[in-house]
């Protein structure tokens, strides 16, 4: 085979390959594949969003652990808002996190006064604003919770908490004996042993494990709170 024939052979082969490649490039499977490669990130994002937003008759479909954590994710996003109003991302997300209107009632004006004072204090503080808001919220939640418990707790239950704070743990028989001693002070009180103990456990101030009762960190904080404000023991 001379040189001319070789050149003609290679030229015809190259022409055949080029025609086949061109046919491949314009075929619809190849075009769809390339579009998927280019847009795969956007497609995945859309599918994830559809999965989260999926509802059946206004009730979210259970799609596993991701769906179960959706409410936590929504709540946690509230704390991701930038603390400074000058931040561009805050302005973009403002509508998404607008606070609900306060009802027209006697509470509205004073609520706005508190908000104005808080904003002023935050503007003047050198500390991180979100940390201050969280600390302020925690303090108010603590006081609100402890005031509610103090309003309905018995004096005998408060004395049991103080006793547990000193001795650390008590067996079932020891707590039952403590109850009987307290009951002698007001024999006409219509309170029974089990509801008396169950109340402390349900409020999270006392725990029961392995046959022993103990005061919790919440219970210890509660009796400290009561002592700090010099609250007297309630009846019985």
């Amino acid at each position: 085979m001379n040189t001319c024939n070789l050149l003609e052979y290679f030229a015809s082969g190259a022409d055949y390959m080029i025609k086949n490649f061109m046919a491949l490039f314009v075929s619809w499977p190849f075009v769809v594949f390339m579009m998927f490669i280019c847009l795969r990130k956007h497609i995945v994002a859309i599918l994830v969003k559809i999965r989260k937003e999926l509802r059946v008759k206004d009730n979210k479909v259970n799609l596993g652990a991701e769906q179960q954590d959706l409410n936590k994710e929504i709540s946690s996003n509230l704390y991701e808002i930038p603390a400074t109003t000058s931040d561009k991302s805050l302005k973009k997300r403002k509508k998404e996190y607008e606070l609900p209107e306060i009802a027209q009632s006697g509470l509205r004006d004073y609520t706005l006064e508190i908000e104005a004072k808080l904003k002023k204090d935050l503007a003047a503080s050198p500390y991180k604003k979100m940390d201050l808001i969280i600390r302020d919220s925690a303090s108010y939640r603590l006081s609100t919770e402890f005031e509610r418990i103090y309003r309905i707790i018995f004096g005998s239950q408060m004395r049991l908490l103080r006793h547990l704070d000193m001795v650390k743990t008590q067996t079932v028989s020891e707590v039952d004996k403590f109850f009987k001693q307290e009951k002698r002070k007001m024999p006409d009180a219509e309170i029974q042993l089990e509801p008396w103990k169950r109340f402390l456990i349900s409020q999270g101030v006392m725990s029961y494990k392995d046959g022993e009762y103990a005061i919790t960190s919440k219970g210890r904080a509660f009796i400290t709170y009561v002592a700090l404000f010099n609250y007297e023991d309630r009846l019985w």
Side-chain angles (χ1 to χ4, degrees):
M1 184 178 291
N2 56 33
T3 304
C4 293
N5 290 335
L6 284 174
L7 291 175
E8 290 178 3
Y9 175 77
F10 284 117
S12 62
D15 183 60
Y16 175 80
M17 292 178 63
I18 292 173
K19 288 181 179 180
N20 279 275
F21 275 119
M22 291 299 296
L24 175 64
F25 289 151
V26 298
S27 63
W28 69 266
F30 182 78
V31 173
V32 172
F33 176 74
M34 292 304 297
M35 289 181 64
F36 176 78
I37 293 298
C38 296
L39 301 175
R40 64 185 184 281
K41 292 184 178 179
H42 301 285
I43 294 173
V44 171
I46 292 173
L47 291 176
V48 171
K49 186 175 181 180
I50 291 174
R51 183 178 180 181
K52 291 182 179 179
E53 296 292 334
L54 186 61
R55 285 173 171 81
V56 176
K57 295 183 179 179
D58 295 330
N59 292 321
K60 291 179 182 178
V61 177
N62 186 357
L63 296 176
E66 182 178 357
Q67 180 61 47
Q68 293 174 356
D69 294 335
L70 183 58
N71 291 336
K72 293 181 181 180
E73 178 184 339
I74 294 173
S75 300
S76 63
N77 285 342
L78 294 175
Y79 295 99
E80 295 174 4
I81 303 176
T84 57
T85 54
S86 60
D87 196 305
K88 292 181 180 180
S89 58
L90 174 60
K91 295 177 181 178
K92 292 180 180 178
R93 301 170 66 185
K94 182 180 178 182
K95 291 184 178 180
E96 185 180 354
Y97 295 103
E98 279 185 347
L99 289 172
E101 289 294 329
I102 304 172
Q104 295 289 344
S105 65
L107 298 175
R108 185 178 187 277
D109 292 340
Y110 187 58
T111 301
L112 294 177
E113 287 182 24
I114 295 176
E115 288 182 2
K117 184 179 183 303
L118 180 59
K119 290 177 181 178
K120 183 178 179 181
D121 292 342
L122 289 174
S125 174
Y127 301 104
K128 291 183 179 179
K129 294 175 175 55
M130 185 54 68
D131 290 344
L132 288 176
I133 292 173
I134 292 174
R135 176 64 59 84
D136 188 70
S137 175
S139 298
Y140 276 105
R141 288 190 183 191
L142 180 148
S143 60
T144 301
E145 175 73 359
F146 287 171
E147 289 292 337
R148 183 191 63 80
I149 294 176
Y150 178 74
R151 190 176 69 250
I152 55 179
I153 197 172
F154 292 126
S156 57
Q157 292 168 319
M158 294 173 62
R159 288 187 285 275
L160 174 62
L161 291 177
R162 295 193 191 98
H163 180 66
L164 288 173
D165 187 40
M166 291 187 297
V167 300
K168 306 306 180 186
T169 61
Q170 288 271 272
T171 63
V172 174
S173 59
E174 289 172 333
V175 171
D176 293 353
K177 182 179 179 181
F178 185 94
F179 172 81
K180 292 177 181 178
Q181 292 174 347
E182 291 291 326
K183 188 72 180 288
R184 294 193 191 102
K185 299 176 183 178
M186 293 188 69
D188 296 333
E190 297 181 358
I191 188 70
Q192 301 300 318
L193 172 62
E194 291 306 319
W196 183 80
K197 294 188 295 186
R198 192 161 54 245
F199 170 81
L200 296 173
I201 295 175
S202 67
Q203 299 303 309
V205 293
M206 184 177 75
S207 64
Y208 177 74
K209 185 178 181 181
D210 299 331
E212 291 187 330
Y213 293 96
I215 188 172
T216 63
S217 59
K218 181 179 179 180
R220 193 170 292 107
F222 173 70
I223 61 176
T224 302
Y225 178 88
V226 170
L228 180 64
F229 290 97
N230 295 318
Y231 286 174
E232 297 179 355
D233 285 1
R234 299 184 61 82
L235 293 176
W236 200 78

